[in-house]
């Protein structure tokens, strides 16, 4: 999975299903979409660096967790056997 950041967000946003994200992440995207003039420029959001940093951290954490959850479910939606090793 690609780590999403300011450099690749406009490209990656095209493949994210925001309907499956928690409300806060969907609202964050709506804010970014508005502030970037429909994903065209970061110019108007230069003062929101901390907000963007926090949003990308939460988005990446959620997407990573979702990917991990999908990996532990087989094609029929049943949990697949996950092998773990105890150190």
């Amino acid at each position: 999975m690609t780590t999403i950041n300011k450099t690749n967000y406009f490209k990656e946003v095209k493949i994210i299903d925001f309907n499956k994200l928690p409300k806060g992440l969907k609202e964050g995207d709506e804010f970014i979409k508005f502030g970037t003039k429909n994903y065209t420029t970061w110019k108007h959001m230069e003062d929101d660096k901390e907000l963007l940093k926090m949003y990308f951290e939460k988005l990446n954490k959620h997407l990573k967790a979702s990917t991990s959850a999908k990996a532990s479910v087989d094609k029929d939606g049943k949990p697949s056997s996950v092998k773990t090793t105890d150190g």
Side-chain angles (χ1 to χ4, degrees):
M1 184 186 105
T2 301
T3 298
I4 297 173
N5 55 47
K6 191 174 164 183
T7 304
N8 64 9
Y9 189 75
F10 295 165
K11 176 183 163 199
E12 296 295 326
V13 75
K14 295 174 185 175
I15 59 173
I16 297 172
D17 185 355
F18 284 96
N19 292 320
K20 294 183 179 180
L21 295 182
K23 182 180 178 182
L25 292 175
K26 285 191 272 189
E27 289 174 351
D29 175 65
E30 290 168 8
F31 176 77
I32 290 173
K33 184 176 182 179
F34 177 79
T36 61
K37 307 298 182 204
N38 204 26
Y39 310 120
T40 59
T41 180
W42 290 107
K43 182 173 82 171
H44 305 289
M45 297 195 71
E46 291 299 321
D47 293 335
D48 295 316
K49 290 177 184 170
E50 286 301 313
L51 181 133
L52 291 173
K53 179 182 174 187
M54 183 174 62
Y55 175 75
F56 291 136
E57 286 174 359
K58 290 181 182 284
L59 178 62
N60 284 308
K61 182 178 178 180
H62 178 79
L63 293 175
K64 182 178 179 183
S66 295
T67 302
S68 296
K70 285 180 186 176
S72 65
V73 175
D74 69 15
K75 66 181 179 177
D76 297 322
K78 298 177 185 171
S80 59
S81 58
V82 178
K83 296 180 181 178
T84 59
T85 57
D86 294 324

